[in-house]
Amino acid sequence: MRDETTYMPEWAPEHAGSEFASHVMVGLTDEPPATKKPPAKASPIPAKFKRMKAKDYVEGVLNGNRMLLARAITLVESNAPQHFELAQEIVQQILPYTGNARRIGITGVPGAGKSTFIEALGCYLCRQGSKVAVLAVDPSSSVTHGSILGDKTRMENLTREKNAFIRPSPSGGTLGGVTRKSRETLLLCEAAGYDTILVETVGVGQGETTVRSMVDFFLVIVLTGAGDDLQGIKKGIIELADAILVNKADNDNKQRALATRAEYEQILHYLRPATEGWQTKAYTCSSLTGEGIDDIWQVILSFEQLMKSTHRLESRRQQQTMIWVKQMAEEYLHNLVEQNPKIMQCYTSVQDQIMQDQISATRAAQTLIRAIETELQNMKSRPV
Ligand code: GDP
């Protein structure tokens, strides 16, 4: 008898809803219906994982245990305070084993062919013996629950590779929250031995700046027809790129793709390169036929060689980490102020006075700063 049942994937966050569930057809069985087991329910973290300590996770991650890696990522993504502490302990302990992977960001408008390209590149690398992790960063995922970028079924061939690990975007929370979770997930994957981390994001919002700040090499995938209006891609995104890749250079589209490449080359000529000492160029490829995949990989390898030989890889990563630390501190302060009723009361009061021309801007700022200082003194220190 056939039945459909629901399983929670290993990467689903705790308390995840049905949007994370896989619907699986149970195979035919000879068992009579009376003895058939009830369908498995979507369960939260099993009891055995609840008893696990940081060192157990660390050991599992370092041994490349995919299930424990997925669980550790779930902890990093959890918003529960007790998970936060455990996750931080794990991240702290795996730090010495991180930093060995190539970190590559990939963006492009929906339909540009990001997932097809990632699948083609991922399979190409796995065939060469690489271990590839694919992460997605979708700041809008609090609304979409990661479904735009996080859908595993989009990369079916890659999911079958034993050396590939695919993780959808963490859902929920602020951009800062998504950034922290994605960065720490990247570190966990590095510690688990993945030598190439592909971080995908949609090129329509803040995601690409976030991803640019966590990767070494940033690739912007575009469609043919650059001249029209840069296809909704803002000049700002092109300025972040270490390479532009005109995808779908196959069949009837090949000539147009080559023309688009030439147009981008012209545009790039007038832009400041994203990485000092590296000339951003445009390339073509077909993720369907595989043509050009090896060429773009060689470009990424030469970039890496240049960055390493000039010691800029290390300093870029250190700078990225410091910017991240600053952003986390700023977000904490921002929330502290915005969530404090007394400070917000003072803010409303000075706003009214400004509206009525009763107070100068400097005096208003002083009053607000004093209110903040007083409240800070009254507050106990809180974890970030
Ligand atoms: P994404 O939204 O950027 O992830 O785009 P997808 O990877 O889902 O691709 C969008 C559509 O373009 C799909 O129908 C793909 O089959 C198609 N596509 C992607 N890459 C290529 C390519 O290199 N050549 C052709 N002809 N089609 C492609």
Side-chain angles (χ1 to χ4, degrees):
M1 196 177 166
R2 261 190 197 281
D3 192 8
E4 187 174 309
T5 188
T6 307
Y7 293 99
M8 278 314 219
E10 58 182 21
W11 40 264
E14 197 186 3
H15 311 309
S18 58
E19 69 277 9
F20 278 90
S22 306
H23 300 279
V24 178
M25 278 288 195
V26 175
L28 287 170
T29 164
D30 289 326
E31 274 183 79
T35 57
K36 198 177 62 133
K37 286 183 197 150
K41 277 205 183 126
S43 67
I45 291 182
K48 65 173 179 172
F49 289 109
K50 287 187 178 154
R51 286 193 300 271
M52 282 183 60
K53 304 238 171 0
K55 72 166 181 39
D56 303 321
Y57 282 101
V58 172
E59 219 173 88
V61 169
L62 294 181
N63 284 332
N65 180 320
R66 292 161 65 97
M67 189 177 60
L68 287 179
L69 169 65
R71 292 281 170 201
I73 296 174
T74 302
L75 284 175
V76 156
E77 291 179 351
S78 164
N79 292 323
Q82 72 273 24
H83 291 162
F84 180 85
E85 288 309 325
L86 180 56
Q88 288 313 304
E89 222 178 303
I90 297 168
V91 172
Q92 186 64 35
Q93 289 187 33
I94 54 115
L95 269 188
Y97 307 97
T98 63
N100 295 322
R102 296 186 180 99
R103 302 171 179 175
I104 300 159
I106 294 159
T107 197
V109 292
K114 293 180 295 299
S115 46
T116 315
F117 171 75
I118 289 172
E119 173 154 60
L121 179 65
C123 289
Y124 163 88
L125 292 173
C126 284
R127 280 198 298 272
Q128 295 185 358
S130 269
K131 280 186 81 184
V132 181
V134 179
L135 315 179
V137 174
D138 181 0
S140 66
S141 56
S142 47
V143 183
T144 64
H145 296 284
S147 58
I148 287 179
L149 279 178
D151 191 349
K152 265 193 166 187
T153 59
R154 292 180 315 143
M155 301 178 199
E156 271 174 32
N157 290 330
L158 193 56
T159 48
R160 278 188 227 115
E161 287 284 350
K162 67 175 181 6
N163 281 339
F165 179 85
I166 305 178
R167 184 82 183 184
S169 176
S171 63
T174 58
L175 178 61
V178 172
T179 310
R180 175 184 68 74
K181 293 167 186 181
S182 306
R183 280 181 176 272
E184 288 173 352
T185 297
L186 185 149
L187 296 175
L188 284 166
C189 289
E190 285 187 341
Y194 289 90
D195 54 61
T196 308
I197 319 275
L198 306 175
V199 191
E200 178 188 10
T201 195
V202 187
V204 289
Q206 290 170 296
E208 57 281 346
T209 328
T210 305
V211 170
R212 167 75 274 186
S213 69
M214 66 176 80
V215 296
D216 310 322
F217 187 91
F218 195 60
L219 181 66
V220 177
I221 299 187
V222 296
L223 293 160
T224 47
D228 306 347
D229 62 347
L230 284 182
Q231 309 157 41
I233 296 187
K234 293 184 209 91
K235 184 172 143 252
I237 298 181
I238 303 296
E239 279 177 333
L240 298 176
D242 292 310
I244 305 282
L245 189 60
V246 186
N247 191 31
K248 309 194 188 181
D250 43 46
N251 302 320
D252 298 348
N253 210 31
K254 192 159 185 180
Q255 284 312 314
R256 267 197 304 253
L258 290 170
T260 301
R261 174 187 166 172
E263 288 174 51
Y264 271 103
E265 283 290 349
Q266 280 203 323
I267 297 167
L268 288 167
H269 196 68
Y270 296 104
L271 298 180
R272 207 174 62 162
T275 304
E276 211 189 312
W278 171 260
Q279 182 56 51
T280 300
K281 290 189 182 155
Y283 306 86
T284 56
C285 89
S286 166
S287 305
L288 278 194
T289 67
E291 197 180 334
I293 297 286
D294 179 59
D295 297 333
I296 193 71
W297 185 245
Q298 296 310 320
V299 171
I300 294 172
L301 292 184
S302 359
F303 175 88
E304 184 192 27
Q305 212 171 22
L306 175 84
M307 292 293 274
K308 281 191 171 161
S309 65
T310 52
H311 304 289
R312 272 182 288 165
L313 188 67
E314 209 184 331
S315 63
R316 170 173 262 177
R317 286 182 174 186
Q318 282 164 349
Q319 273 171 12
Q320 288 176 334
T321 307
M322 265 330 288
I323 292 170
W324 177 34
V325 170
K326 195 165 158 259
Q327 277 170 354
M328 281 196 286
E330 279 170 0
E331 183 173 292
Y332 172 72
L333 281 178
H334 187 80
N335 291 340
L336 204 74
V337 168
E338 289 230 313
Q339 286 161 11
N340 184 296
K342 288 200 173 142
I343 297 176
M344 288 323 284
Q345 210 177 357
C346 176
Y347 180 81
T348 314
S349 156
V350 296
Q351 195 179 24
D352 287 345
Q353 293 175 61
I354 289 278
M355 297 295 215
Q356 292 164 27
D357 287 331
Q358 288 175 347
I359 189 171
S360 72
T362 308
R363 185 66 74 212
Q366 272 180 331
T367 310
L368 200 51
I369 290 164
R370 249 177 243 130
I372 295 170
E373 282 172 351
T374 311
E375 280 308 297
L376 282 180
Q377 274 166 6
N378 293 341
M379 271 175 207
K380 286 189 191 151
S381 58
R382 280 198 266 156
V384 181

